Amino acid sequence: MEGGQDAETMAKLRPASAIANSPSSFLTKIYNMVDDPSTNSIVLWSSSNNNFIVWNVPEFSRDLLPKYFKHKNFSSFVRQLNTYGFKKVDPDHWEFANEGFLRGQKYLLKIISRRKPTCVLSHQQIPQVQDKSVCSFVEVGNLGIEEEVERHKRDKNVLMQELVRLRQQQQTIDHQMQTVGERVQAMEQ
């Protein structure tokens, strides 16, 4: 495509894509909260600038959550983070990461998408079940699923090869230990 045609196409697409490319208010609020130096005693960027840490959960819940959101519930906040693909980095601390949530790169927030809850079991199969726990989160749309499945297949093959190698290594070590044991017994006699 020529440069002029490319610019023309982009100009046509810009109005529709501008809305789709803007980050959610939830992500923007979190970014602003973490990026605010006045909140560093409660929540701040990690030293690597690729995740954030909630240092003081009681103060975070009492002071910051109601300032930015309509609740004070830390568990709800964590669940919401999970729906956007944030992962807890350290089991001992409230440290969260997402590849699109980086200090100084607010523009990356638009690549973070919310996952929609989709029930694994249909309500026709079990109509009395109303609990949200039977639902799991899946990415909106099927783009990239084939590639992800292929990546998982490759990973599985690599892991299986490693497992076979380790089992062979274990058998070799077991055999060597048995040989050493036999030699020790022979020397004792």
Side-chain angles (χ1 to χ4, degrees), residues 40-77:
N40 282 357
S41 64
I42 302 170
V43 61
L44 75 159
W45 291 104
S46 68
S47 59
S48 59
N49 294 323
N50 62 356
N51 49 43
F52 71 94
I53 306 163
V54 178
W55 283 115
N56 191 326
V57 173
E59 281 187 45
F60 183 83
S61 299
R62 185 188 67 231
D63 301 335
L64 291 182
L65 281 179
K67 180 179 175 184
Y68 288 89
F69 305 102
K70 295 178 182 177
H71 64 85
K72 295 181 178 185
N73 190 330
F74 187 70
S75 298
S76 295
F77 173 76

Side-chain angles (χ1 to χ4, degrees), residues 107-135:
Y107 64 91
L108 288 177
L109 294 179
K110 64 186 174 188
I111 70 167
I112 302 173
S113 62
R114 184 172 186 197
R115 297 179 291 177
K116 276 192 168 178
T118 305
C119 288
V120 175
L121 302 172
S122 74
H123 292 296
Q124 294 171 346
Q125 291 172 321
I126 305 177
Q128 72 275 14
V129 175
Q130 298 292 323
D131 186 9
K132 291 182 181 179
S133 65
V134 294
C135 294

Side-chain angles (χ1 to χ4, degrees), residues 3 9 13 42 57 84 96 118 137-138 161 174:
T9 303
L13 295 176
I42 302 170
V57 173
Y84 281 94
F96 302 95
T118 305
F137 285 92
V138 294
Q161 290 171 358
D174 287 346

